[in-house]
């Protein structure tokens, strides 16, 4: 799906994500996937000037892959480092990706030529079954 996101877009796209995951019988990853979609789209709202992006949900044998692509050249910052007490540093940036890292099994960024990137994450059902 390609679109221009606004402040309320993540809420609507969470519903779409939930519907697909129920259709695919992946209820175990709904909460994690919804949070990841919310944070990845919030990054577009906050950081991409024209707010244009594409969301791709891919059903995998082990769960779901979520990809959000945009044409903004700035790459996302890695989650905020921890301070000496083990708490996130006071840096305002990177907290959304810190949440994605917490709920996803894997995540990463792929640069797109001539500019832009795809930020992706995967949520596995197997990991959840082992909890």
């Amino acid at each position: 799906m390609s679109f221009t996101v606004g402040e309320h877009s993540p809420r609507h796209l969470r519903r779409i994500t939930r519907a697909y995951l129920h259709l695919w019988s992946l209820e175990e990853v709904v909460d994690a996937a919804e949070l990841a979609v919310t944070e990845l789209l919030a990054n577009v709202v906050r950081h991409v000037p024209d707010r244009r992006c594409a969301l791709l949900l891919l059903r995998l044998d082990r769960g779901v892959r979520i990809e959000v692509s945009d044409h903004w050249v700035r790459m996302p910052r890695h989650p905020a480092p921890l301070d000496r007490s083990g708490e996130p540093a006071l840096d305002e940036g990177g907290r959304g990706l810190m949440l994605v890292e917490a709920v996803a099994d894997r995540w990463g960024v792929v640069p797109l030529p001539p500019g832009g990137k795809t930020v992706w994450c995967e949520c596995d059902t197997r990991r959840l079954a082992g909890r």
Side-chain angles (χ1 to χ4, degrees):
M1 298 175 272
S2 295
F3 44 85
T4 301
V5 289
E7 298 293 330
H8 301 289
S9 298
R11 175 180 57 190
H12 301 298
L13 291 162
R14 279 195 307 270
R15 286 188 211 151
I16 292 169
T17 300
R18 178 179 289 272
Y20 273 102
L21 295 175
H22 283 298
L23 179 68
W24 295 335
S25 299
L26 294 173
E27 287 82 4
E28 312 95 291
V29 299
V30 167
D31 292 337
E34 282 185 328
L35 179 58
V37 164
T38 299
E39 293 304 325
L40 295 177
L41 292 173
N43 281 343
V44 173
V45 170
R46 281 187 211 109
H47 303 294
V48 177
D50 66 5
R51 294 184 171 184
R52 294 182 55 162
C53 68
L55 170 67
L56 178 64
L57 303 174
L58 295 168
R59 183 178 182 190
L60 306 173
D61 289 338
R62 63 182 182 275
V64 65
R65 180 179 174 106
I66 300 160
E67 296 184 358
V68 174
S69 301
D70 63 63
H71 296 288
W72 184 236
V73 294
R74 185 177 300 159
M75 293 293 166
R77 295 186 349 209
H78 193 273
L82 301 180
D83 65 17
R84 284 187 236 157
S85 68
E87 295 296 318
L90 296 177
D91 184 15
E92 288 295 315
R95 295 198 188 271
L97 286 177
M98 199 161 73
L99 290 171
V100 171
E101 185 171 62
V103 299
D105 293 281
R106 287 164 298 290
W107 76 275
V109 181
V110 178
L112 298 174
K117 73 256 175 214
T118 296
V119 183
W120 61 271
C121 69
E122 294 179 357
C123 301
D124 293 351
T125 56
R126 291 182 191 146
R127 176 182 73 122
L128 295 171
R131 286 185 185 171

